[in-house]
Amino acid sequence: MTVLGLLPAALTLALAVALGLLRTPLHPRWSARLLALVAATTATAAAGTALFVAVNYAAGLDPAAAGRLPEWALFGDDAPVPAWLGVPAAVLTALNLAGTARLAARWRGDVAAARRAAVLDTGDLVAMAVPGRDGGVLVSRGLLASLTPDQLRVVFEHEASHLRHRHHRHLALGALAAATLPPLRPLNRRLRFAVERWADEDAAERLADRALVARTIAHVALNRTARPGPLAAFADGPVVERVRALLADPPRQNPITGPVALAGTGVTTSGLASLALQLDRALVFVLQ
């Protein structure tokens, strides 16, 4: 194992951190897809590399156990992994597994609780998309009483967009990446914002009234007290930016730029993620 074996994961992480800080000049639907893809491949590369190093470090401590491991799980050379690298990798792997389990349990619990209620018995203004066969759009009594029929149409069109495009999968990938890699929290926040903007634009297009969507978002945000959870909620994200975007011209829907950017980023990050577990063997092959 050489230090260069960590290079693919480091490059993927650097790209993900940069995308979390920069604004992508794409339609929200392509921004969300791109950010979700980068979150998934970065988490795979970084967590996979840590697991790979931890397994090989443990194998060096117990050669007898190493003989029972499959060949693909071991490095291409016999050099032991040093403790300064193996111990942090083992600790990081344990933290990743614990964080993933905790996040999955929280997500499962929130979704199950939401599915049991058709209307929330609260005066707060709450609306969210609940995924799954028994899911749908969940709203509160306070929201139903506070909004006009036209504003309720905005809410239901927005939440229907989340369900139609399965935005919970995008959010799950971002939350998982942020849970395993704290430097990806800005990327997760930008991903959540892109998902909300995607649903905003869908609602504005279907209702043909961008100003109505903007006013509805502002009204709900100003009158609610509930904090957002893991599911997509109507007034999530930077509300001021969402309202400003809706009061401006709609974003361009270039049929080429978005797919090309997504495909190019996917090839790059997926290649790095695959290489993260194979670079050491490749270097051995080249040097022989």
Side-chain angles (χ1 to χ4, degrees):
M1 171 66 180
T2 67
V3 177
L4 287 177
L6 306 177
L7 184 60
L11 290 175
T12 312
L13 181 59
L15 175 61
V17 170
L19 286 176
L21 299 175
L22 301 175
R23 186 186 301 273
T24 55
L26 300 172
H27 190 281
R29 71 166 59 93
W30 292 109
S31 293
R33 289 166 175 163
L34 187 149
L35 293 171
L37 175 63
V38 171
T41 52
T42 303
T44 300
T49 298
L51 175 62
F52 197 39
V53 172
V55 167
N56 280 266
Y57 174 67
L61 297 177
D62 187 359
R68 296 191 293 271
L69 293 173
E71 183 179 353
W72 59 263
L74 300 174
F75 292 144
D77 54 29
D78 297 325
V81 176
W84 64 265
L85 184 59
V87 172
V91 172
L92 182 59
T93 297
L95 292 175
N96 286 343
L97 293 175
T100 301
R102 185 167 56 251
L103 178 65
R106 179 194 174 197
W107 192 286
R108 191 183 309 113
D110 286 346
V111 171
R115 287 176 180 171
R116 290 193 293 267
V119 176
L120 290 176
D121 190 13
T122 175
D124 199 5
L125 276 60
V126 179
M128 64 180 65
V130 183
R133 181 181 301 177
D134 299 324
V137 178
L138 179 66
V139 297
S140 67
R141 297 189 186 279
L143 185 84
L144 293 174
S146 175
L147 301 187
T148 67
D150 285 343
Q151 290 175 325
L152 286 174
R153 286 185 61 201
V154 171
V155 172
F156 281 100
E157 288 290 353
H158 176 100
E159 300 304 329
S161 175
H162 286 318
L163 295 174
R164 186 167 57 251
H165 299 296
R166 295 178 173 85
H167 286 163
H168 63 282
R169 297 180 180 178
H170 297 71
L171 298 177
L173 290 173
L176 179 61
T180 56
L181 295 168
L184 296 190
R185 289 173 183 171
L187 182 140
N188 182 41
R189 288 193 294 269
R190 191 164 291 280
L191 171 57
R192 292 184 70 95
F193 175 68
V195 165
E196 292 304 320
R197 284 283 301 117
W198 183 352
D200 290 345
E201 291 298 330
D202 273 3
E205 183 176 350
R206 285 177 174 268
L207 297 174
D209 193 340
R210 300 178 65 81
L212 173 63
V213 178
R215 289 195 303 271
T216 305
I217 293 172
H219 176 81
V220 173
L222 290 173
N223 291 278
R224 73 166 189 167
T225 59
R227 299 180 64 182
L231 300 178
F234 182 72
D236 271 357
V239 172
V240 174
E241 290 186 39
R242 290 171 59 191
V243 170
R244 285 177 177 172
L246 285 165
L247 295 178
D249 294 333
R252 295 181 180 180
Q253 302 191 41
N254 192 312
I256 298 177
T257 304
V260 169
L262 181 65
T265 304
V267 169
T268 301
T269 57
S270 299
L272 288 171
S274 299
L275 194 60
L277 304 183
Q278 300 296 327
L279 181 58
D280 189 81
R281 296 184 183 185
L283 289 174
V284 172
F285 175 78
V286 169
L287 295 174
Q288 285 180 344

